Amino acid sequence: MDSSLSASSFLKGSFVPTASGLRYREKGRLIRSIFHFLSLKTLVDRRGTLGFLVSSLASLVTNPLFEFKSEKKVLGAEVYPLKMMWFMRFSGLLFAIMVMILFSPHFQSFPPAEAIRSSHHDGNLRVPIVIPAGDSPRLFSFRKASAFNNAEECGFRDRNFSGKSSVCDPFLVHVAITLDVHYLRGSMAAVHSILQHSQCPEDIFFHFLVSETHLEILVRSTFPQLKFKVYYFNPEIVRNLISTSVREALEHPLNYARNYLADLLEPCVRRVIYLDSDLIVVDDIYKLWSTSLGTRTIGAPEYCHANFTRYFTDKFWSEKRYYGTFDGRKPCYFNTGVIVIDLAKWRRFGFTKRIERWMEVQKNNRIYELGSLPPYLLVFAGHVAPIEHRWNQHGLGGDNVKGSCRELHPGPVSLLHWSGSGKPWARLDMKAPCPIDAVWSPYDLYRPLR
């Protein structure tokens, strides 16, 4: 029998199952599976794709099994050996599995649903987010923020920057914020508040630090005009450096991303304002941006009346090798949720490594209890450029354990910060808000799913 076959018969497998014919039949089924695999771009659900491949492989094995009893396997006058038949089927199966393994990265690169992009037009984006094990899949829906424009006082600036290089525009105000699925609602409200109160909102560039995917689409849909860039922070960088804290939320790797801003951001970015996700700005952020740091690397509101000793353990204060680090300094407490950072100086003096060294000490000797704050105090306390207290009215989240309500400190307010365990969006959803949460609510762009 002529073993030459047309392309159509090869793919359909319509031929007599001689020894050579069976090889073609098996290859035909395998090629069909591969062709379908390579057309995965037309499929949205990865589970469906995997199920299809499994069913194709099952067909590859079972179909010849049923045909084996009813058809003759001959080559010339000799009976084709039964063991060889099974060997060929098994080889085809192994080859198909190898193809699946080879192309398995493609399963990870497809977005969960291309149809999500269509929501960009109606200003209401629902994005499925991959969140840590133990939680269920979550959908977020945010309404589109109002358009914003620079005031006439900002003037016209001739910029020849475009695309990725626009981050190097010397007129920009740089703001860094983390985007985490558990605090995403707070981050969006923070950005919204900054834009609402800025005289020149078009001159603000946001640097978003993330450890999950797909958040860029959501930000773009909510703030179509926004200048921003998303930076992936690998949690493995700090996972082995993090020690347990008084609150589990303080142990999240993304809390430590601020330590690596000098490495993550472009070298042309020489200054940045780092902001936590649980705050709103009710003043022009340019005023904070233009604060003089003098010879210091960071600036923040300091609270010298606070009991500084309580941020470290008795072991720390009992050993000179630890508490001696403050010799020659007048250390004061400051909150790391609002910091102005001179990135050029940070890079020059290698402050990331200095913070990491104290984290390594903590892993072995337990010299503090409170998350990412103490390493900053150890490195910078007493060497901080003071900023007005109005730029961090912190503690509005209440006690770290009970989350009780707190009031504003006396004096003017430019930034309200819900540090502590209670968050305004959570309390509002539970119908048990604190009075101060009403100030946060107007900036909330979250739209509950129905």
Side-chain angles (χ1 to χ4, degrees), residues 200-404:
C200 307
E202 295 180 78
D203 295 343
I204 304 174
F205 194 101
F206 288 88
H207 304 263
F208 294 117
L209 313 176
V210 306
S211 56
E212 288 98 324
T213 58
H214 307 303
L215 294 177
E216 182 174 354
I217 303 173
L218 189 149
V219 174
R220 180 61 67 195
S221 175
T222 307
F223 304 103
Q225 298 174 262
L226 197 68
K227 289 184 175 71
F228 74 92
K229 183 175 178 180
V230 173
Y231 302 79
Y232 177 75
F233 177 71
N234 185 357
E236 298 305 318
I237 293 176
V238 293
R239 198 176 300 281
N240 292 330
L241 293 172
I242 298 175
S243 56
T244 56
S245 181
V246 295
R247 199 154 45 90
E248 186 177 353
L250 300 176
E251 301 170 22
H252 194 290
L254 206 55
N255 288 336
Y256 296 83
R258 77 193 91 185
N259 303 353
Y260 299 88
L261 284 169
D263 300 322
L264 292 169
L265 273 54
E266 289 76 2
C268 64
V269 181
R270 300 176 60 83
R271 173 182 281 218
V272 68
I273 299 172
Y274 174 83
L275 298 176
D276 273 352
S277 300
D278 52 355
L279 56 77
I280 57 171
V281 177
V282 292
D283 202 347
D284 192 338
I285 200 167
Y286 183 78
K287 297 176 184 178
L288 179 59
W289 171 259
S290 58
T291 299
S292 173
L293 299 183
T295 61
R296 305 303 190 189
T297 301
I298 71 169
E302 289 184 295
Y303 303 88
C304 295
H305 64 278
N307 182 4
F308 190 79
T309 60
R310 71 186 182 92
Y311 295 100
F312 300 93
T313 63
D314 292 339
K315 180 178 179 62
F316 176 88
W317 294 114
S318 65
E319 298 190 33
K320 174 70 174 178
R321 58 175 174 158
Y322 299 138
Y323 70 76
T325 190
F326 294 122
D327 287 351
R329 294 196 256 171
K330 293 182 179 179
C332 294
Y333 163 77
F334 63 94
N335 181 275
T336 53
V338 180
I339 313 176
V340 180
I341 305 175
D342 185 327
L343 293 175
K345 285 192 177 76
W346 185 293
R347 295 175 181 124
R348 188 185 315 147
F349 296 108
F351 283 111
T352 297
K353 291 296 182 184
R354 298 191 193 185
I355 291 174
E356 286 181 336
R357 281 197 290 270
W358 279 113
M359 293 175 69
E360 290 170 355
V361 172
Q362 161 71 359
K363 288 288 289 186
N364 298 320
N365 297 280
R366 197 67 183 176
I367 58 175
Y368 57 79
E369 301 289 351
L370 197 62
S372 60
L373 168 64
Y376 264 79
L377 297 178
L378 288 163
V379 173
F380 293 110
H383 297 310
V384 176
I387 293 177
E388 289 183 89
H389 287 179
R390 68 190 301 158
W391 284 106
N392 194 353
Q393 286 274 346
H394 66 288
L396 301 181
D399 183 86
N400 268 325
V401 179
K402 298 178 181 179
S404 55

Side-chain angles (χ1 to χ4, degrees), residues 59 331 397:
S59 174

Side-chain angles (χ1 to χ4, degrees), residues 49-73:
T49 304
L50 186 58
F52 175 82
L53 285 173
V54 171
S55 63
S56 299
L57 291 174
S59 174
L60 181 66
V61 176
T62 57
N63 285 352
L65 181 62
F66 288 109
E67 295 167 1
F68 181 78
K69 297 179 179 179
S70 59
E71 296 175 335
K72 294 181 179 180
K73 288 78 181 176

